[in-house]
Every structure is written in C-alpha cells, then in structure tokens.
Amino acid sequence: MSLPEEMYQCQMVNCGYIFNPDKGDRKGKVKKGVQFKELPDDWRCPVCGASKNAFRPLAGPGSVHAENTSKAGKTETEGAASGMKKYRCDICGYVYDPAEGDETAGIAAGTSFEDLPDDWECPVCGAGKDDFSEV
C-alpha cells in the first residue's frame, strides 16, 4: 500500500484527482507500481488534463499540509513587512507568491507580481498576467 507521501493530488479547482502508484493510470497507460516522479513529463491528469506541475503530495515536504503548517508559524507582521501581494490565477487557482518566485520560469524569489515580465504565464495552465487577481 502506498504511503501518503507517494500519492499526489491534483490542485486544479474542482478536480482533486489522486495519483496512487498502487493503481497507476489506465487512461494514461501507466502501469501499477510507477511512482509519480517517474511519470513522463508530458503526462496529464486523467480527469482535468492538468500537467504534473498542478500536483502536490498528500503528505510530507511540498504537500498542502506542510505549506499550511509553515505559514502558520509566520507572524502577520512578517507578511506585511514584505509589502508584496499574492495573486491567484482566475483559471486554475495557482497562487503566485513573490516570496517564492517562479523557479520554472527563472523568476527569483522576491520578485513582485508587478515586476513579472509582461509575457509571463501561469506555470500550471499558461494563463497570462491579466487572468490573475490579487489575493
């Protein structure tokens, strides 16, 4: 039986598909026993079609739970001191956090949303900056 750290859940709004290595993905012709990290880069969520970037582990480092726990330790003044606001993609729900940047696009941590290049796109669904709203 797979551990929660080995199972990944799609974070797209209204999806929530869980990739379980014990089951594989019949639609994507992925055999049982294949780990999420071993999936091909072009693999897509069988429910909504999202890329691997839209998935997070159910537990452990990188999981939603781990992120919420680490954010709970920050004080309100720490967040306010940065002066940079987060923006959510209206299409898929991805949140751009200036404190993290966008590693996949080469955007350094500390880059405000306003300072992103005009042609920057959501790393999950490819939406443009005009499809983001302040959180």
Side-chain angles (χ1 to χ4, degrees):
M1 180 173 180
S2 292
L3 299 171
E5 294 85 3
E6 298 170 331
M7 294 185 229
Y8 282 68
Q9 184 174 28
C10 183
Q11 301 299 304
M12 297 298 284
V13 177
N14 296 326
C15 184
Y17 169 80
I18 296 175
F19 177 81
N20 183 344
D22 289 342
K23 295 182 179 180
D25 171 19
R26 288 186 4 197
K27 183 177 179 184
K29 297 183 174 132
V30 176
K31 295 179 181 179
K32 295 177 184 179
V34 173
Q35 297 296 313
F36 184 81
K37 294 177 181 180
E38 297 170 355
L39 292 171
D41 291 337
D42 61 350
W43 179 83
R44 297 288 183 171
C45 174
V47 175
C48 70
S51 70
K52 286 176 61 176
N53 291 338
F55 283 75
R56 288 195 171 172
L58 289 180
S63 69
V64 174
H65 175 71
E67 180 179 304
N68 290 341
T69 303
S70 69
K71 287 181 181 177
K74 293 183 181 179
T75 64
E76 287 182 34
T77 54
E78 285 175 316
S82 72
M84 292 188 278
K85 299 173 183 164
K86 297 179 184 180
Y87 285 77
R88 180 182 317 276
C89 177
D90 298 331
I91 309 300
C92 72
Y94 166 81
V95 175
Y96 175 77
D97 183 351
E100 297 176 11
D102 178 7
E103 186 178 317
T104 59
I107 305 296
T111 304
S112 70
F113 187 81
E114 294 79 11
D115 291 336
L116 292 173
D118 291 337
D119 62 349
W120 178 83
E121 296 178 339
C122 174
V124 175
C125 72
K129 283 177 66 174
D130 56 338
D131 289 316
F132 279 73
S133 300
E134 186 178 322
V135 177

